[in-house]
Amino acid sequence: MSLEALFNPKSIAVIGASSKPGKIGYAIMKNLIEYGYEGKIYPVNIKGGEMEISGRKFKVYKSILEVPDEVDMAIIVVPAKFVPQVVEECGQKGVKVVPIISSGFGELGEEGKKVEQQLVETARKYGMRILGPNIFGVVYTPAKLNGTFGPTDVLPGPLALISQSGALGIALMGWTILEKIGLSAVVSVGNKADIDDADLLEFFKDDENTRAILIYMEGVKDGRRFMEVAKEVSKKKPIIVIKAGRSERGAKAAASHTGSLAGSDTIYSAAFKQSGVLRALTIGEAFDWARALSNLPEPQGDNVVIITNGGGIGVMATDAAEEEGLKLYDDLEQLKIFANHMPPFGSYKNPVDLTGMADAKSYEGAIRDALNHPEMHSIIVLYCQTAVLDPRDLAEIIIREYNESGRKKPLVVAIVGGIEAKEAIDTLNENGIPAYPEPERAVKALSALYRWSKWKAKHK
């Protein structure tokens, strides 16, 4: 069954809606309104009456069965003991998908798992899908849908984020805003009673607004299905997974957190490799890679060129490139073109050192030459902040040159410096050019793009 109603619902009921700030039923109503959702919103609360949120007045229905129109999605925010009855009523109403925010199910043990199973059986009876329970909601930026109690101002972009942990998922939403990472979707999967990672991967595989998928995972219920689907999706779009519970104690903690089977970590690692899934060990690493994988084209060859104004960061990037197995282009005859953009004591050997005297013109010329050269397949631009060139001006140069070149090659940037460097990095990231405060992070992100691209070429 299609998940279209989860991401593009024409109407949404919030069951357990509240007009009291501080309540989850209030936060979800407020986010739906303020993020600009254009469909119909129906608050449902046993008390009935009326409510006003963010300047909009609503009639409150005592039950979903009282809503006069069709309802595609019903977000459930009532205590666990009332959820079975509410799900039954949603089924009778013809609701297509039910995100259940409420917790107190499978994560509590066997009794809770039984109730969860009953909810799924009720949903199946009516051809309805359940997301959760024990979740914070769902975001789909192309539809201006923010049905969560997380941050309101998620930046639109090409990365879909799936999280099994609620609190971490909400924190990551906030983090993406701070780090200027654009998202197509955020889906909290919680206990995965029905809709799971594999279902979501199948949706995102064909979603034109999503170019890469990032999953925070503690365990999967049907490992074989996940791997089969992941392998198919990886042939089209990159998948990055942060798999928690690597240690024995971590695995036990994961089991008690969302009631999932964590399983042996070495099995997960091997399975991810086979399916083309890139496994990140930290949140920072996962998002570093995601920036590159969701924004950059695939490389058309192995030759990488590093352009820098500092010998030190050039050497650090070279070390990282070697460790990551990236091939630095070394045809000196061809690299001579860079001599035009540096003083006589510069070095056009790769890494290309424009020296600390490098100004806007030096960088502009060097970047343009690298982008236009048919044998230079990927470019790493490094900059140590000096008084010669404001990093924010460099950011504008990179954006202009990259756009004019048609963005046909992967290009990553690292700028090391103070507050102006941070602003330059933000500007680049807002414009879909992966930029980092350390050279190694830029190199590793490019390497992740190469790893996925090479896996894909092997499995065509």
Side-chain angles (χ1 to χ4, degrees):
M1 236 177 88
S2 158
L3 294 185
E4 193 56 34
L6 182 63
F7 298 100
N8 288 297
K10 294 187 183 68
S11 51
I12 298 174
V14 180
I15 303 176
S18 169
S19 55
K20 282 190 195 145
K23 294 265 190 184
I24 288 177
Y26 171 84
I28 289 173
M29 286 290 295
K30 184 171 176 286
N31 272 357
L32 284 171
I33 296 160
E34 293 187 359
Y35 201 67
Y37 174 66
E38 287 161 3
K40 290 183 175 155
I41 303 170
Y42 300 104
V44 177
N45 188 305
I46 196 108
K47 294 178 187 144
E50 287 188 338
M51 67 170 61
E52 186 176 330
I53 294 181
S54 301
R56 267 174 69 179
K57 288 196 171 83
F58 294 90
K59 175 182 165 137
V60 180
Y61 298 90
K62 289 185 177 174
S63 149
I64 183 118
L65 297 171
E66 281 184 15
V67 177
D69 306 314
E70 283 186 15
V71 178
D72 277 354
M73 180 196 283
I75 302 174
I76 298 178
V77 204
V78 298
K81 63 181 176 188
F82 302 119
V83 171
Q85 183 199 337
V86 169
V87 168
E88 174 67 42
E89 287 173 2
C90 287
Q92 290 170 15
K93 178 69 187 162
V95 172
K96 297 186 176 90
V97 65
V98 186
I100 302 175
I101 306 287
S102 324
S103 51
F105 296 95
E107 73 277 15
L108 299 183
E110 284 313 309
E111 270 312 298
K113 279 193 179 142
K114 274 186 203 150
V115 181
E116 224 170 74
Q117 204 38 52
Q118 284 161 1
L119 296 178
V120 175
E121 282 163 21
T122 305
R124 293 263 152 84
K125 183 170 77 179
Y126 292 106
M128 185 167 68
R129 300 299 303 264
I130 287 175
L131 180 66
N134 186 23
I135 63 168
F136 63 83
V138 59
V139 174
Y140 189 58
T141 58
K144 297 185 189 157
L145 165 68
N146 185 342
T148 73
F149 56 93
T152 310
D153 40 356
V154 179
L155 301 172
L159 177 69
L161 171 63
I162 301 168
S163 177
Q164 194 168 353
S165 163
L168 180 63
I170 290 176
L172 293 179
M173 277 169 82
W175 201 71
T176 62
I177 296 164
L178 190 70
E179 289 288 319
K180 310 285 185 253
I181 293 170
L183 301 172
S184 58
V186 183
V187 190
S188 170
V189 287
N191 297 3
K192 301 196 253 202
D194 174 24
I195 293 171
D196 63 11
D197 309 275
D199 295 319
L200 293 165
L201 284 177
E202 282 179 336
F203 176 85
F204 291 128
K205 177 186 173 194
D206 299 317
D207 176 38
E208 58 188 30
N209 298 299
T210 300
R211 287 184 56 185
I213 302 141
L214 172 54
I215 304 176
Y216 168 78
M217 173 193 288
E218 289 171 4
V220 288
K221 290 201 167 119
D222 183 346
R224 175 158 291 158
R225 178 165 175 252
F226 174 81
M227 294 312 167
E228 281 168 6
V229 172
K231 189 168 186 174
E232 281 315 299
V233 176
S234 292
K235 290 174 188 174
K236 194 171 174 183
K237 294 175 182 178
I239 303 166
I240 301 161
V241 170
I242 311 168
K243 164 71 180 70
R246 282 185 289 142
S247 63
E248 207 172 311
R249 283 192 78 151
K252 280 183 186 149
S256 65
H257 175 202
T258 42
S260 72
L261 299 168
S264 156
D265 196 65
T266 41
I267 293 172
Y268 272 100
S269 277
F272 288 149
K273 253 197 189 98
Q274 279 175 3
S275 321
V277 170
L278 299 169
R279 182 177 187 174
L281 297 183
T282 66
I283 291 166
E285 186 172 60
F287 278 104
D288 278 358
W289 298 356
R291 265 193 222 288
L293 288 153
S294 62
N295 284 300
L296 297 178
E298 283 183 66
Q300 298 306 303
D302 291 342
N303 296 332
V304 179
V305 172
I306 298 171
I307 297 170
T308 179
N309 72 330
I313 53 168
V315 174
M316 289 164 85
T318 304
D319 284 345
E322 191 116 317
E323 280 158 17
E324 293 289 322
L326 291 178
K327 180 180 178 291
L328 292 188
Y329 185 53
D330 52 11
D331 185 330
L332 286 181
E333 272 310 302
Q334 300 299 319
L335 287 163
K336 259 190 195 149
I337 53 167
F338 294 115
N340 304 325
H341 311 296
M342 58 179 68
F345 52 86
S347 165
Y348 57 78
K349 289 175 184 167
N350 196 6
V352 177
D353 185 359
L354 303 173
T355 79
M357 290 169 64
D359 57 10
K361 220 164 165 262
S362 302
Y363 266 101
E364 187 179 61
I367 291 167
R368 189 178 299 164
D369 280 353
L371 286 166
N372 289 335
H373 197 289
E375 285 176 29
M376 299 177 191
H377 303 125
S378 297
I379 300 145
I380 300 170
V381 178
L382 308 177
Y383 182 63
C384 274
Q385 188 171 350
T386 68
V388 181
L389 171 60
D390 188 311
R392 293 165 298 192
D393 295 338
L394 176 61
E396 295 303 331
I397 289 166
I398 295 169
I399 292 162
R400 188 180 66 242
E401 291 301 326
Y402 198 40
N403 287 343
E404 283 178 7
S405 76
R407 292 185 173 239
K408 295 188 182 79
K409 300 177 180 183
L411 179 143
V412 293
V413 182
I415 300 178
V416 182
I419 215 140
E420 299 85 359
K422 171 78 175 102
E423 284 173 20
I425 288 168
D426 284 349
T427 303
L428 287 160
N429 284 319
E430 280 168 354
N431 282 275
I433 298 174
Y436 308 89
E438 298 164 24
E440 294 86 351
R441 286 170 62 182
V443 172
K444 285 176 179 175
L446 180 62
S447 167
L449 179 66
Y450 267 100
R451 282 208 306 283
W452 170 67
S453 183
K454 289 192 163 153
W455 180 90
K456 192 178 145 200
K458 257 193 207 152
H459 294 83
K460 268 190 176 154

